[in-house]
Amino acid sequence: MQLLFDFLPLIAFFAGYKLSGDNIFFATGVLIVAVVVQTAVQWIRHRKVSAMALVSAVLVLVFGALTLVIHDKLFIQWKFSIVNWLFAGAFLASHFFGERPLIQRIMGENVALAPAQWLRLSWAWIVWFAAMGALNLYVAYNFAESVWVNFKLYGSIGLTLLFALAQGIWLASRMQPETKPETK
């Protein structure tokens, strides 16, 4: 359910684009509203907004506003890449700052892995975010706008689900067994 909530602004952008007759500027306005609503709902429900959601929301507001004010679709097209590259940079920086990689800080309470496995998982996320950012720009610059919009919904969600599935399989094969306290 949380994954669907995370993708709601993207789905709203896609719906706004299709319902407006392929108007990316209308869709960008819908995206901005959806992100504001999503952030408000997260704040009301949990009294906090995750760092990833906050970064994404700020970038949607900045790049969305630039798209609408300057009337140039490249700003909203670049937003996805910049968000992914910022996350890749944050995951990479966590290797040098702090005692644990960022992915371990996020998932460590629910997953038990050896330190070397956490580093491998972190590198997988770094490569994932960097590759998704590059792929977004490749599609934006080499295909029609409508193809890019379809990629944003179907491609990014589909690839994210495949990555999550692959990560789940990888984690299941490497998780350390839980130790149960002995009963006497």
Side-chain angles (χ1 to χ4, degrees):
M1 191 64 165
Q2 180 61 40
L3 190 59
L4 177 61
F5 182 73
D6 291 342
F7 282 116
L8 277 178
L10 175 59
I11 294 167
F13 174 81
F14 180 81
Y17 184 79
K18 295 299 182 183
L19 293 173
S20 69
D22 298 348
N23 184 328
I24 197 161
F25 302 107
F26 178 81
T28 299
V30 170
L31 175 66
I32 290 169
V33 170
V35 165
V36 168
V37 168
Q38 179 188 46
T39 305
V41 167
Q42 196 175 53
W43 174 255
I44 291 167
R45 289 181 68 205
H46 306 290
R47 290 291 179 230
K48 67 178 181 172
V49 177
S50 71
M52 291 177 83
L54 193 56
V55 167
S56 184
V58 167
L59 289 173
V60 163
L61 294 174
V62 169
F63 283 88
L66 287 170
T67 297
L68 296 177
V69 169
I70 298 173
H71 212 68
D72 187 346
K73 68 182 180 182
L74 285 177
F75 288 105
I76 202 64
Q77 289 177 319
W78 269 84
K79 192 263 336 159
F80 184 72
S81 295
I82 290 172
V83 166
N84 277 285
W85 293 337
L86 284 173
F87 290 151
F91 275 66
L92 180 60
S94 74
H95 290 212
F96 304 102
F97 301 101
E99 297 177 15
R100 302 176 298 161
L102 186 55
I103 192 68
Q104 186 177 3
R105 295 177 209 169
I106 294 169
M107 298 175 63
E109 292 181 17
N110 301 316
V111 178
L113 293 173
Q117 300 298 333
W118 281 115
L119 287 176
R120 283 194 192 130
L121 184 59
S122 180
W123 278 108
W125 278 89
I126 292 165
V127 169
W128 167 255
F129 284 130
M132 285 301 289
L135 181 58
N136 175 66
L137 289 184
Y138 177 79
V139 173
Y141 280 98
N142 292 290
F143 295 93
E145 175 186 290
S146 61
V147 172
W148 175 78
V149 170
N150 285 327
F151 165 75
K152 286 288 296 158
L153 181 69
Y154 302 117
S156 66
I157 290 177
L159 290 171
T160 299
L161 292 175
L162 286 174
F163 179 73
L165 178 63
Q167 175 185 271
I169 292 168
W170 185 85
L171 283 171
S173 70
R174 285 164 176 77
M175 284 180 39
Q176 297 173 350
E178 290 185 34
T179 56
K180 296 181 182 178
E182 293 182 30
T183 57
K184 294 183 182 184

